[in-house]
Amino acid sequence: MNFIETRGNAEGFAPKVPFSYAIQHPSASYGGLYVPEALPELDSAFLEKMQGRPYTELAFEILALFGIDIDEAVIREALALYEKFDNPKEPVPVVKIEEDLFVSELYHGPTRAFKDMALQPFGHILSDLAKKSNQRYLILAATSGDTGPATLESFAGKENIQVACLYPEGGTSDVQRLQMVTEDAPNLKVIGIKGNFDDAQSALKSLLASERFKEQLRKSHINLSAANSVNFGRIIFQIIYHIHSYLALLEQGEIAMGEKIYITVPSGNFGNALGAYYAKKMGVPIEKILITSNANNVLAELINSGLYDIRGKKLIQTNSPAMDILKSSNVERVLFDKFGAERTRELMDALNNDLHYSLTPEELALLQEDFAAIDSDDAYGMEIIRRYAEKGYVMDPHTATCIKAYENLKERDLKMVICSTAEWTKFAPTMLMAIEGTEENRSDLEALQRISEKLHIPITPSVKALFDKEIIHKDVVEKDAIESKILQFIQS
Ligand SMILES: *Cc1c(COP(=O)(O)O)cnc(C)c1O
């Protein structure tokens, strides 16, 4: 299968490219993204056949239907990484928490967030391409806490790939920071910057625009690539677990074949939600995809009113930092799918130049055929965490926003699967405040211990071990020192 571009095709760009190209060079014409030319169809016979089969087999079958140009042996090695999750037989447990509510626990991988679902296999595939083509890659990441650890973990020790990761000092939890600064491999560089996530991201952007930086990369024959979800190499793995959710409910006898379900996704860059949209289009019986936002409610506003508007908006720091976002990259792929390249380019140009765009009423109606959305805030999230912990289910602050959709957006009496995107251990101080109903902000370690004792749940061993590991990456710098740090790193 080939890939085409969301903003149309410019001179100098191939009109169609294979998967391997799209993941090595993720920026398309006019700043657009790559999308599959068509999607494979999954009928009920396929779903029937896949019932009860291991996750890795399902994933293999889906990738085969996409017909990606990656060697079968490499795909199998990439998917075998799921067998290192907590339960090798079931990397993504789907757990019942209410009569009609289920949680797809996407966080059982090495860094305890759902980013591992895509970055583990994607890292293997990209590294293999780099090795075979004898090309060097530099992957730059700016993280608010989950992408960084998952990217580092995925590429640690890989040939021909270097990763430079920027995180806002003080802007992540201790666990997230330790996951990065203790990651020990010569091809990794982790730099704390003085500022917030916005500063980290804009530092990365100015780096990408710097002639001196680009010249150095050219001289050293280094290609630049991205591991964020603009890369379709991540999205493809994020379709699979939504199909798996449907199969899990079938296997558990909760639904009959063909019965529709809701899927609820706590959204930021919209990669996870886009995966659910593709799964629906491919034929999985999904009634609607319900999107939750936090106080940064651009996505909920778009889906409810057709207006994407960031004029005068400032990023609000919340308890669900991975959803703190103003420009959500993957919405573009849905716009393209529904309205075509010309209109997508027009809308994205409007967003870049005028900081807003508006869908027509007809366009909004098309969007609402597949999506509904609601926003939540920290107070609501804290209340939900406390309430479910009392009932015996522990969910992190991102996952908690999904309950708002469960309580407000169901128009039909159907079962719902919510995506749990992180383990509670990554946000222990917030969790403890919610559970104890206090404002006292404790350290991660203390909060982990108190929650573990109080709720009689274990602290994940890899998280506990972080506090005794050696700190490898000690750099914390001002924004203007980043470029030279990274140049030093790639020349070393
Ligand atoms: C990345 C992330 C999200 C947002 O996912 P998108 O695919 O960017 O919408 C939500 N929750 C957690 C914990 C995350 O790490």
Side-chain angles (χ1 to χ4, degrees), residues 250-490:
L250 276 176
E251 276 156 45
Q252 294 173 22
E254 294 287 351
I255 53 171
M257 178 63 76
E259 193 174 327
K260 292 198 167 176
I261 63 168
Y262 286 106
I263 289 191
T264 300
V265 184
S267 296
N269 231 346
F270 215 69
N272 195 353
L274 178 75
Y277 173 72
Y278 285 145
K280 181 174 194 283
K281 280 207 62 163
M282 286 161 71
V284 179
I286 297 170
E287 170 75 8
K288 262 188 193 177
I289 299 140
L290 308 181
I291 302 302
T292 57
S293 302
N294 61 25
N296 299 288
N297 63 351
V298 279
L299 286 168
E301 190 172 56
L302 171 70
I303 292 164
N304 286 308
S305 74
L307 179 66
Y308 201 116
D309 190 354
I310 56 176
R311 282 172 295 184
K313 283 207 174 110
K314 276 216 143 196
L315 202 73
I316 302 165
Q317 287 204 353
T318 72
N319 285 342
S320 42
M323 298 159 69
D324 292 349
I325 197 154
L326 292 177
K327 278 195 182 176
S328 177
S329 318
N330 277 299
V331 173
E332 174 166 355
R333 287 187 162 113
V334 176
L335 298 179
F336 170 79
D337 195 66
K338 291 191 172 285
F339 316 131
E342 200 177 321
R343 179 65 171 149
T344 301
R345 188 174 166 197
E346 189 176 288
L347 294 172
M348 297 315 294
D349 283 349
L351 183 60
N352 286 332
N353 300 330
D354 314 328
L355 305 181
H356 68 107
Y357 65 73
S358 250
L359 301 180
T360 65
E362 295 74 30
E363 287 170 337
L364 177 60
L366 282 174
L367 190 65
Q368 290 175 342
E369 280 180 6
D370 294 300
F371 296 100
I374 195 161
D375 56 298
S376 164
D377 59 27
D378 282 350
Y380 177 86
M382 299 293 260
E383 167 61 23
I384 293 299
I385 291 170
R386 192 189 55 73
R387 206 200 303 159
Y388 274 91
E390 261 168 24
K391 291 206 275 186
Y393 190 80
V394 183
M395 61 175 78
D396 97 293
H398 303 80
T399 311
T401 64
C402 295
I403 302 298
K404 188 98 185 242
Y406 173 68
E407 289 178 339
N408 294 279
L409 293 183
K410 277 177 70 169
E411 288 172 344
R412 295 181 57 198
D413 185 20
L414 301 171
K415 305 249 158 83
M416 179 184 291
V417 177
I418 63 179
C419 292
S420 184
T421 47
E423 187 175 65
W424 68 273
T425 54
K426 292 194 102 167
F427 305 98
T430 304
M431 296 294 300
L432 185 67
M433 283 193 263
I435 291 163
E436 293 192 331
T438 64
E439 305 262 305
E440 200 176 336
N441 199 352
R442 301 185 191 257
S443 73
D444 279 45
L445 188 56
E446 199 185 346
L448 283 164
Q449 282 159 346
R450 282 180 77 101
I451 293 170
S452 170
E453 279 160 26
K454 226 179 156 83
L455 302 181
H456 309 289
I457 48 174
I459 304 172
T460 309
S462 61
V463 171
K464 206 169 173 183
L466 287 170
F467 295 90
D468 299 318
K469 275 182 143 176
E470 188 194 346
I471 309 275
I472 308 290
H473 304 276
K474 297 186 178 132
D475 289 332
V476 176
V477 304
E478 298 287 349
K479 261 181 11 181
D480 51 18
I482 292 167
E483 184 170 340
S484 64
K485 282 275 174 211
I486 295 181
L487 284 175
Q488 254 174 36
F489 165 59
I490 56 180

Side-chain angles (χ1 to χ4, degrees), residues 187-209:
N187 66 325
L188 307 177
K189 179 82 181 168
V190 179
I191 305 171
I193 69 155
K194 296 190 174 142
N196 59 25
F197 174 59
D198 262 354
D199 297 320
Q201 206 155 28
S202 67
L204 193 144
K205 281 196 184 134
S206 54
L207 201 59
L208 294 177

